[in-house]
Amino acid sequence: MKETAATDVSKDASPRRSHPGLRALPTALLLALIVILTVPAGLLIAPAFVGPPPAAVPETPAWQQAPTALSARQGLSPLQDSAPVPLGSAVTAQLDSALKPDGGGTFTGLVQDALTGQVLFDRGGPENRIPASNMKLLTAVAALRAMGPGHRFSTRVLAGPSPDQVVLAGGGDVLLGAGGSAPDQVMGHAGLASLAAATVAALKDSQPAGGLKVLVDDSLFSGPSLNPAWEQGDVAAGEVAPLFPIALNSARFDPAVTTGPRPQDSAITAGEAFAAQLKAAGFAAGLTVAPGVERYSPGGTGGAAAEALPVVLAEVRSATVSEQVDLMLQSSDNYLAEVLGRMASAASGGPASNEGATVAVRARLEELGIPTAGMSLADVSGLALANQVSARQFAEVVRAITTGPDTRLRAALDGFPVAGLTGTLDERYSGEATVRGAGLVRAKTGTLNSVIALSGYVVDADGRLLVFSFIGNGLTPGAAGNREALDRAATALAACGCR
């Protein structure tokens, strides 16, 4: 376009039409002048032919661009030994004003630095107290040490003593589901429908003509199925139920309904559910199932039943002990706690009974070097009022879980309810006095009629890991201020820059 414009102008600048004053200029100078005048004109004219220049593309901000690398990990930084330890006097000043009962009763408590064990607050820490469901922390430690975090319980179907019988043998899984196995769940991880389908497949070449009879072997547990230390009112209300080594939904009729009455014979209930699934699975294969479910007890030999029936037709396996411990702590499930205590005893060579469970819990604590002198254990769920454990002992247990030498116990950390978010703390820490602890306090709760407890851990404002246990006994039943007192105390620890 510049060349065309230059040509047009040069034609117009012929000698006959040029300005008189330009005639005397040398030819070379005249041409240079023409070029000087022509180029700007061409620049002005060109846009009319080619359009406006393209708009500049703004540079995309970095935050809008696709990432080229993983972002830095968010959350708490790793704990450092160099984080300052709070002053005991400052911690005491904070907690003394928070731990006040609403009405009658008293609070005891103890706070320790998790890494060093240094005591930062002690109000009657060594005194025995009724701990309520804080007992489940002791049971968690015993289960993880005796069986290991990855252990699973098996529920098996064995060939019966006659060709027309099968035996459903309980192996400690009380979280069975009635439907198919759900591998991504804890409750219902092993399902009776899957077990029934596998049983039908195993029997396809040996189907009895007169129908198959289901027997239930629940002989793994010994001793009374109901602890005499439990209040009958608690049993009637569904806080616990007679214990068996096999159950659906932790001995609940519906896994979504965690209150109210429970099955009083969870083994037979599970056997009936299995028989129904077996009937449904066997229909297409022509397998019939006889009505009714009976217990298998060959001559009263108890635990010898499984050895007397070595042929395994089918098997399903539970969620891991670690996952079950976490569920127990999050939901404070008394039935599951008692079963895990019995299974810890069995794994240690003891009887799968209430007495065996309490002995196993005490023994595992002593192995960790936690003093058990003066401790009295009537059960392992905390439902019994005869339990006696000190805040000092609970703080030491939490310390063993968080920073102790047995790293298997770290598996219990996910089970601690998180203030305002999960488990039995999900609806707490929303008030003005406690909201600063939401998301920061991680602790096991405990509540009975005149008892309230909270034991757990926090990382304080300076990055120091602290463990604590607060226990109230003899409290005024139903007084709302007692729960808030515990939550205020834990919140104060989380916000503490107590130097």
Side-chain angles (χ1 to χ4, degrees):
M1 298 296 292
K2 291 181 181 180
E3 292 178 358
T4 303
T7 302
D8 290 344
V9 173
S10 65
K11 288 181 180 178
D12 291 342
S14 62
R16 291 180 294 109
R17 300 173 58 190
S18 60
H19 190 279
L22 298 176
R23 295 175 182 172
L25 292 175
T27 301
L29 183 59
L30 183 60
L31 290 174
L33 180 61
I34 292 173
V35 170
I36 292 171
L37 295 173
T38 301
V39 170
L43 292 174
L44 292 173
I45 296 172
F49 293 94
V50 301
V57 178
E59 183 179 353
T60 303
W63 59 270
Q64 289 184 342
Q65 297 179 14
T68 58
L70 292 176
S71 61
R73 183 175 178 178
Q74 302 298 311
L76 292 173
S77 301
L79 296 174
Q80 301 292 330
D81 292 348
S82 58
V85 178
L87 290 175
S89 57
V91 173
T92 298
Q94 294 264 12
L95 299 189
D96 274 342
S97 61
L99 279 177
K100 294 180 178 179
D102 182 2
T106 58
F107 283 113
T108 61
L110 191 115
V111 177
Q112 288 178 284
D113 176 60
L115 292 177
T116 65
Q118 179 182 342
V119 174
L120 305 174
F121 171 78
D122 186 350
R123 182 197 289 179
E127 295 177 14
N128 272 339
R129 307 287 273 180
I130 303 170
S133 284
N134 274 206
M135 276 292 303
K136 294 180 178 70
L137 291 172
L138 313 187
T139 306
V141 167
L144 291 170
R145 282 184 63 84
M147 295 178 283
H151 183 74
R152 300 176 188 269
F153 306 130
S154 292
T155 303
R156 302 181 297 169
V157 176
L158 311 174
S162 65
D164 63 344
Q165 295 176 330
V166 292
V167 177
L168 178 66
D173 186 2
V174 296
L175 303 180
L176 289 165
S181 296
D184 59 339
Q185 300 293 322
V186 180
M187 186 85 74
H189 185 92
L192 292 182
S194 297
L195 186 63
T199 302
V200 170
L203 291 172
K204 63 180 181 179
D205 297 327
S206 58
Q207 297 179 10
L212 199 62
K213 185 71 173 180
V214 174
L215 308 177
V216 178
D217 175 14
D218 60 0
S219 59
L220 178 60
F221 286 0
S222 60
S225 59
L226 274 177
N227 190 328
W230 293 333
E231 298 287 338
Q232 285 302 311
D234 289 333
V235 177
E239 293 294 336
V240 75
L243 290 157
F244 297 92
I246 179 171
L248 290 170
N249 314 315
S250 195
R252 291 286 187 191
F253 292 107
D254 184 337
V257 180
T258 57
T259 59
R262 297 175 183 255
Q264 295 303 292
D265 192 331
S266 65
I268 292 299
T269 300
E272 291 170 345
F274 173 71
Q277 294 288 1
L278 191 63
K279 181 179 180 179
F283 179 78
L287 177 68
T288 59
V289 178
V293 173
E294 299 177 4
R295 273 193 165 79
Y296 175 69
S297 53
T301 55
E307 294 183 8
L309 300 170
V311 180
V312 179
L313 301 175
E315 179 181 22
V316 288
R317 303 181 72 205
S318 72
T320 64
V321 165
S322 171
E323 293 168 327
Q324 296 199 39
V325 161
D326 288 346
L327 177 62
M328 172 192 69
L329 295 176
Q330 284 281 334
S331 61
S332 201
D333 190 318
N334 294 318
Y335 196 93
L336 180 56
E338 295 292 341
V339 168
L340 287 174
R342 282 160 172 72
M343 296 305 293
S345 177
S348 305
S353 64
N354 178 69
E355 182 179 359
T358 57
V359 169
V361 166
R362 184 188 295 273
R364 301 291 84 77
L365 296 180
E366 290 173 348
E367 289 173 357
L368 288 169
I370 297 174
T372 61
M375 180 185 290
S376 179
L377 306 182
D379 69 10
V380 295
S381 63
L383 195 58
L385 292 172
N387 290 315
Q388 293 285 305
V389 187
S390 71
R392 176 63 184 259
Q393 289 162 330
F394 279 116
E396 289 287 1
V397 166
V398 177
R399 186 174 172 231
I401 293 171
T402 56
T403 56
D406 187 349
T407 56
R408 294 175 297 178
L409 303 185
R410 305 288 189 275
L413 290 174
D414 286 343
F416 282 78
V418 180
L421 296 176
T422 65
T424 54
L425 286 180
D426 63 343
E427 296 183 356
R428 291 163 63 169
Y429 291 81
S430 59
E432 182 179 350
T434 60
V435 69
R436 290 183 304 162
L440 300 177
V441 175
R442 290 162 167 78
K444 179 71 194 78
T445 58
T447 305
L448 291 172
N449 192 37
S450 60
V451 176
I452 192 167
L454 191 70
S455 298
Y457 64 97
V458 298
V459 177
D460 74 3
D462 289 326
R464 197 75 187 185
L465 179 64
L466 309 178
V467 299
F468 65 87
S469 178
F470 307 129
I471 306 174
N473 277 192
L475 303 175
T476 302
N482 291 320
R483 176 178 290 180
E484 185 173 319
L486 295 187
D487 294 347
R488 284 201 312 268
T491 296
L493 286 179
C496 193
C498 301
R499 291 178 288 160

